[in-house]
Amino acid sequence: MPYFQDHYHDLKYPLAGSGLPGLYNAQIGAIHSIASHFTLRKDPAIITLPTGSGKTAVLMMSAFLLRANRVLVITPSRMVRDQIREDFEGLKTLKEIGAIPEDMPLPNVFEAESKITSADGWEQLRGYDVVISTPNCVSPAIEEIADPPTDLFDLLLIDEAHHSAAKTWNDLLKTFPSAKKILFTATPFRRDRREIEGRFVYNYPIVKSFKDGIFGKIRYIPVNEANEQIDNDVAIAKRAEEVLKEDREANFEHSLMVRTDSRKRADDLATIYKNNTQLKLEVIHSGHSYARVKKAVN
């Protein structure tokens, strides 16, 4: 019997609370919305969960819930692909929250790191329970990639689904017409205003995440620099250093994250922080290996 069908009855839905691990309110709502959707409909289900609310756990639970035969997980980048592969290989998150038994056998997982260019390449995937890839390795929209057998996967899980309006993503969704499809995102609207295909079955608002304690309090700190000789980035860096120092002196175990939109910009900001503060920052982006990124984050 296929792995997820065999272990369907092992799945549990423990609730977090009173310091005990378990599922957040958002996760409970999302997983039951998925179950409800596919009792009535066949169109893709779109799940919107704020960042930090446990989207990956819901993604993995979906395979058990829907008793999948073989699952294809699509991620937007190599970095995310590596993270989800690691999650599926050990099911660590689901075990930690008590959703599955600690001693349960693990699924057979394959991470597609290169383009699948032949029919044999696709057929070899029948020996796996989960295949994880980026569109660039498996989408028929890319010329070198061979057309996959339409019956190879019966469940497609799309992470960061706001990318899915792109042709490489859409062609992939259309390739497996009989498969159930679930699209997960924290950002349900694209900048180019192109529509994400599917039915919104669950949308957990950020305000509820604050009330649930998923997020802490946010304090806005303005940086006003009257001296026009000081660059804005330098002013922000110096103020950020001051705030972090104040927090740590107050015994908070805080860290600082500087986020931007490109590799070059990240490298430029790292130089600014190095030259103008005593902060020690690590640069991480998709150009780095997953091992390097994981080491830096740890």
Side-chain angles (χ1 to χ4, degrees):
M1 184 180 292
Y3 175 84
F4 293 108
Q5 296 178 28
D6 193 30
H7 293 285
Y8 166 75
H9 292 289
D10 292 321
L11 186 65
K12 297 180 180 179
Y13 305 90
L15 296 176
S18 301
L20 297 175
L23 295 168
Y24 293 133
N25 194 41
Q27 293 170 306
I28 286 288
I31 199 69
H32 288 304
S33 294
I34 290 167
S36 175
H37 173 77
F38 287 110
T39 63
L40 298 173
R41 307 177 66 95
K42 295 182 178 180
D43 48 340
I46 303 175
I47 301 293
T48 305
L49 291 172
T51 300
S53 58
K55 177 183 61 177
T56 302
V58 176
L59 183 148
M60 290 190 292
M61 290 177 72
S62 300
F64 293 95
L65 176 77
L66 299 175
R67 291 168 288 180
N69 178 42
R70 190 175 300 106
V71 182
L72 176 62
V73 183
I74 298 298
T75 74
S77 68
R78 186 185 67 186
M79 191 182 305
V80 178
R81 183 189 71 196
D82 289 343
Q83 290 170 340
I84 291 184
R85 183 260 307 157
E86 191 174 79
D87 278 332
F88 260 113
E89 281 183 339
L91 298 178
K92 181 180 177 182
T93 300
L94 297 187
K95 290 182 177 182
E96 286 178 346
I97 63 176
I100 59 173
E102 277 285 345
D103 59 351
M104 197 176 83
L106 300 173
N108 197 6
V109 180
F110 178 81
E111 180 179 4
E113 300 181 35
S114 58
K115 294 177 181 176
I116 300 177
T117 57
S118 68
D120 284 345
W122 284 112
E123 287 298 326
Q124 290 174 12
L125 300 182
R126 292 193 187 274
Y128 294 92
D129 304 304
V130 183
V131 175
I132 303 167
S133 181
T134 59
N136 291 340
C137 293
V138 294
S139 175
I142 296 172
E143 187 175 344
E144 305 97 314
I145 294 176
D147 290 334
T150 57
D151 68 338
L152 186 57
F153 301 101
D154 64 338
L155 177 61
L156 269 63
L157 302 174
I158 312 298
D159 192 32
E160 300 194 25
H162 48 281
H163 295 278
S164 65
K167 180 173 173 56
T168 51
W169 293 70
N170 263 336
D171 282 15
L172 191 54
L173 288 170
K174 294 174 183 176
T175 298
F176 304 99
S178 299
K180 295 181 175 71
K181 304 172 182 73
I182 309 174
L183 287 67
F184 296 87
T185 182
T187 312
F189 303 104
R190 290 171 55 91
R191 289 182 182 178
D192 61 10
R193 298 182 182 275
R194 293 181 66 185
E195 184 177 357
I196 300 173
E197 294 188 17
R199 179 183 177 86
F200 285 90
V201 301
Y202 194 70
N203 182 7
Y204 200 77
I206 289 179
V207 66
K208 281 283 291 176
S209 296
F210 280 104
K211 291 180 179 177
D212 291 345
I214 294 174
F215 298 144
K217 293 181 180 179
I218 292 179
R219 180 165 57 107
Y220 171 66
I221 302 172
V223 179
N224 300 316
E225 185 50 67
N227 187 348
E228 295 182 359
Q229 301 300 315
I230 297 182
D231 179 81
N232 286 340
D233 288 328
V234 173
I236 293 171
K238 288 179 176 293
R239 186 70 182 104
E241 182 180 35
E242 292 172 2
V243 172
L244 184 63
K245 183 179 179 181
E246 292 168 3
D247 286 357
R248 288 183 169 173
E249 287 176 349
N251 295 319
F252 291 113
E253 295 182 6
H254 285 180
S255 297
L256 178 71
M257 177 186 292
V258 183
R259 184 176 179 181
T260 187
D261 60 354
S262 70
R263 297 183 192 180
K264 182 181 184 305
R265 178 70 171 145
D267 290 334
D268 291 345
L269 285 171
T271 300
I272 288 171
Y273 277 77
K274 180 179 179 180
N275 292 341
N276 295 278
T277 74
Q278 298 298 311
L279 297 172
K280 296 178 180 179
L281 302 183
E282 291 277 357
V283 178
I284 58 174
H285 52 59
S286 59
H288 298 141
S289 69
Y290 178 59
R292 184 199 182 284
V293 171
K294 187 176 179 181
K295 181 179 178 181
V297 171
N298 287 341

